[in-house]
Amino acid sequence: MKKNILIGMVAVLTLGLVASTAMAWGPGYGRGQGYGLQYGCPAVSNLTAEQTSRIQAIQQANFQEITPLREQLFAKRTELRNLWVTQNPDQAKITALQKDMLNIRAQLQEKSNNARLEVREVLTPEQQAQIAAYGPGMGRMGGRMGRW
């Protein structure tokens, strides 16, 4: 009996250790710079102080501009989730909500593209060439998600 209890305790502790190690990185896109760096600027190491302040101003203005859209998208996503869990989901409402969400995503993409183009105008041609080496503008990961 004591042997079974001891084996059970060791098994539980081992499982806990393995689980905590597996979860050590936490949620998200993994290590690296991925989505955290905006507008493809991580490759540019020789920004002047003026360029840095202008880029930060563009990013801040863009963030303030897209915040209401992001909140709308979150609210619609919650509403859509609630529609799906009802007993008899209304297809017309779900379809309309999905179209609204697509429109909001399109607006977000357009604003993001405009901000990215504004940032490129701040950079010199040599600095723009540095960005091109980093792929589609999503940091070193080149648009790939996950732990690589």
Side-chain angles (χ1 to χ4, degrees):
M1 182 70 176
K2 288 183 184 181
K3 186 177 178 182
N4 288 341
I5 291 174
L6 182 62
I7 291 172
M9 288 176 52
V10 168
V12 168
L13 289 174
T14 304
L15 182 63
L17 180 63
V18 170
S20 65
T21 304
M23 299 301 288
W25 288 111
Y29 296 107
R31 295 179 288 171
Q33 296 180 338
Y35 284 106
L37 296 168
Q38 298 179 7
Y39 312 120
C41 289
V44 180
S45 59
N46 56 347
L47 290 174
T48 65
E50 179 186 345
Q51 286 175 316
T52 302
S53 65
R54 288 178 60 193
I55 289 170
Q56 288 174 346
I58 291 168
Q59 289 175 339
Q60 183 64 31
N62 182 50
F63 181 76
Q64 289 175 350
E65 191 175 359
I66 67 171
T67 296
L69 291 172
R70 292 175 66 197
E71 290 171 355
Q72 287 176 16
L73 187 60
F74 179 77
K76 290 194 182 293
R77 188 179 302 129
T78 303
E79 187 179 345
L80 181 63
R81 195 174 295 134
N82 289 337
L83 282 173
W84 275 111
V85 298
T86 60
Q87 185 68 24
N88 295 313
D90 185 352
Q91 184 178 359
K93 286 183 182 179
I94 289 173
T95 303
L97 208 52
Q98 287 175 334
K99 286 181 183 178
D100 288 346
M101 291 170 65
L102 285 173
N103 286 336
I104 293 170
R105 285 188 185 112
Q107 291 175 37
L108 286 168
Q109 186 67 45
E110 181 181 352
K111 291 181 186 311
S112 176
N113 288 341
N114 291 340
R116 189 169 287 147
L117 289 170
E118 285 182 50
V119 167
R120 288 186 65 85
E121 291 174 4
V122 172
L123 302 176
T124 65
E126 294 82 19
Q127 291 169 331
Q128 291 178 7
Q130 290 176 11
I131 290 175
Y134 273 78
M138 297 180 77
R140 289 186 213 173
M141 299 293 284
R144 295 176 298 183
M145 293 172 45
R147 295 183 180 130
W148 292 83

